[in-house]
Structure formats: structure tokens, C-alpha cells
Amino acid sequence: LGPEDDGRSTQEFLFRPIPAPLRLSYSAISAFTRCPRCYYVTNILGVRGPESDEIRIGNIAHAALEAFYRAWTAADNDGLPRPGRADLRRFGRAAFRAALNDQSRASDDDLAQLDAQLDLTHDKLHSANVHVLEAERLITFPYEHAGHRHTFSAKIDRIDQIQGSNQIESGGLRIIDYKSGQAWKSLTEPKPDDLQMGIYAMALKANFPDWDGTGEAQYWLLATGERGVLDLSKLKLDKVQAVINEAITKMLEGKFDKGKSCSGDCEFLGLD
């Protein structure tokens, strides 16, 4: 049966409420707030466009930084020499090769771009005194809304213990998130209602129940070497939760309207 057969509109036929409980993440909530319809097309219907070169290089840089800081932590714990700039490049080359498949070829331009990003990250953002607690840590935690206990997943690029802090519960946690795209003002000057860092702070609290909520969050802009810093104690979690709650309510009700400025993955549907 199609929509013309049972009296439903095309939108009612295509877009169904998502059954509770929901599996949520920052990327899901962010995508929904930009365009609920695109969210449904990509996350529920599974229709995705090709991966851009920018995203591909960014994913490779993430893999290289993960390997670098895991090696850094292991060396730090064992009292061994910690990896340096040349090692970060080496991890980048290995991640680059691993990302290739039978249909793709190594591009000198892509490799040069990757090298430049990793060199800039090491020279401008990396600190020789950093104490890394976790690299690419996946944290799941419950989130209750609309009478259901949903599950959030948060994959944090890095969690550091701030130098001079002896106990996690007395503060001193730092969240690091790597960004490979443009240096948007929302990243260089993150606001207290920042959705991503708000969700990550909730994940930290679930992982470190004695943590008092103090510390900082940083966006590392790999393409420019800039850093956006946010005081975690000033986060407005009530505003973050309001955004999350609105998205959950609409998902459960099946409200997947087109975003006001959307020109993305839902365009092919040809719906107003």
C-alpha cells in the first residue's frame, strides 16, 4: 500500500515515529536540530551521500592522534621516552594506508594535507606536559525523558587530567575534541550552551561520579592550529537538555520537518 491507497499524506507514509527507548548521540541530536528530515533519511532510512575528501582526511587525522596519544600514555605510564612529531607523522602515514581500499588511490595532495594538519597540531596544540587519561573513550549513559529511559553514547577524542590537579573529584578534567573542518566561531569561541560539550560533560559525570564538574573543554582545529576553550563549570546544561528533550519528543512523535536552511540529503525526496 502507498499513501494514495490508505488516505495518508506522502510525509505521513514516509516518516514514522521512532519507537522508544532511543539510542542517542551528539551527532544524532546535532543532525536532527539542523534538519529533522535529513536526520531521518540518513539515520533511519540509511541513505547517505559519498564521503567528502575533507571528512576522509579528518577521520585519518583522528586515527593518527588516537594512536599517538595511546602511545604517549603507555610511555608516560612506563617511564619511557614519549613519542614526538616524527612519530605523529608516522602514525598518520599508517592510518592513511589503512584507509585505502581497492577503489581508492593514495593522493600526494591528500597526504601533504594530512602531514600539514598533524605537524600544525603537534607544534601549536600539543603540550609536552599533558597527562592523558583516555583516548577515544566511548561512554554510554542513561537519559530519561518523556517517560522513557533512553541511552546516550558519547565518544570523546581525549580526556586529560589538568596539570596540578591531584584528584579527579576535585576538578582538573579536560575534554579535547578534534575538528578538521573550518574554524567556525562556534568552535573558536564556544558558548556555555554548547551542545557537544554539554553532552560530553554529562558523559564524564556518568563515568566519574565523584567529579565536581570543573575543568575545561577544548576544540582543536587541526587545519588552522587554533583552540577554542570553554570553562566546564560555566556550562548551561539546562539549555543543552532543553535541546535534547525537544529532539527526543519530535522523534517519538514522528515530526521530521525540513530544516529552514537545509539543502542536504533530504532534497532528493522532492517534498516541501
Side-chain angles (χ1 to χ4, degrees):
L1 288 176
E4 68 280 1
D5 299 311
D6 61 9
R8 287 179 293 170
S9 69
T10 301
Q11 292 189 35
E12 290 173 329
F13 182 76
L14 286 175
F15 304 111
R16 313 290 181 86
I18 305 175
L22 303 176
R23 297 192 65 83
L24 304 166
S25 65
Y26 159 70
S27 60
I29 299 297
S30 178
F32 188 92
T33 58
R34 290 193 301 273
C35 178
R37 188 166 297 173
C38 279
Y39 164 82
Y40 194 91
V41 168
T42 58
N43 290 273
I44 306 303
L45 300 182
V47 179
R48 299 178 183 273
E51 185 181 73
S52 68
D53 289 341
E54 181 181 284
I55 292 176
R56 185 167 62 90
I57 295 299
N59 289 338
I60 294 171
H62 271 70
L65 288 164
E66 177 185 0
F68 177 83
Y69 282 110
R70 287 191 186 280
W72 179 278
T73 302
D76 204 25
N77 291 339
D78 294 338
L80 299 173
R82 294 171 293 188
R85 191 175 192 261
D87 297 294
L88 180 54
R89 265 205 180 199
R90 178 170 55 84
F91 287 128
R93 298 294 179 101
F96 190 88
R97 290 193 299 271
L100 295 177
N101 55 44
D102 293 339
Q103 287 74 41
S104 62
R105 298 175 55 190
S107 162
D108 290 340
D109 289 342
D110 287 348
L111 193 53
Q113 181 183 346
L114 175 65
D115 285 343
Q117 285 195 6
L118 295 179
D119 288 349
L120 195 59
T121 300
H122 185 274
D123 297 344
K124 294 281 190 178
L125 299 172
H126 172 69
S127 170
N129 298 319
V130 66
H131 180 57
V132 179
L133 294 176
E134 305 276 1
E136 294 294 332
R137 175 61 188 271
L138 178 63
I139 300 173
T140 60
F141 61 97
Y143 188 92
E144 296 188 6
H145 179 65
H148 298 282
R149 188 179 178 90
H150 311 285
T151 300
F152 250 106
S153 295
K155 191 171 186 180
I156 304 176
D157 289 340
R158 222 173 74 222
I159 304 170
D160 297 348
Q161 186 168 355
I162 296 176
Q163 187 178 13
S165 173
N166 295 320
Q167 293 183 327
I168 291 172
E169 59 266 27
S170 64
L173 286 185
R174 179 187 296 115
I175 302 170
I176 305 287
D177 188 76
Y178 311 131
K179 298 294 186 186
S180 56
Q182 297 186 49
W184 302 109
K185 187 176 181 180
S186 60
L187 300 176
T188 59
E189 300 177 22
K191 295 181 179 180
D193 61 349
D194 187 272
L195 178 64
Q196 182 170 6
M197 291 308 183
I199 291 173
Y200 285 5
M202 288 189 282
L204 278 191
K205 187 62 177 177
N207 195 60
F208 302 106
D210 295 327
W211 177 52
D212 64 3
T214 60
E216 65 182 20
Q218 294 187 6
Y219 287 117
W220 282 19
L221 309 179
L222 308 185
T224 63
E226 296 175 85
R227 186 196 323 258
V229 182
L230 176 63
D231 184 340
L232 288 175
S233 68
K234 295 181 179 179
L235 274 172
K236 296 181 179 180
L237 291 180
D238 56 334
K239 291 190 174 183
V240 173
Q241 290 167 346
V243 173
I244 296 170
N245 294 345
E246 182 180 6
I248 290 174
T249 298
K250 289 182 176 179
M251 289 177 186
L252 296 178
E253 293 177 351
K255 295 182 178 179
F256 299 100
D257 297 328
K258 181 179 178 181
K260 291 182 179 180
S261 59
C262 173
S263 59
D265 293 329
C266 70
E267 284 292 300
F268 78 95
L269 294 173
L271 300 175
D272 294 329

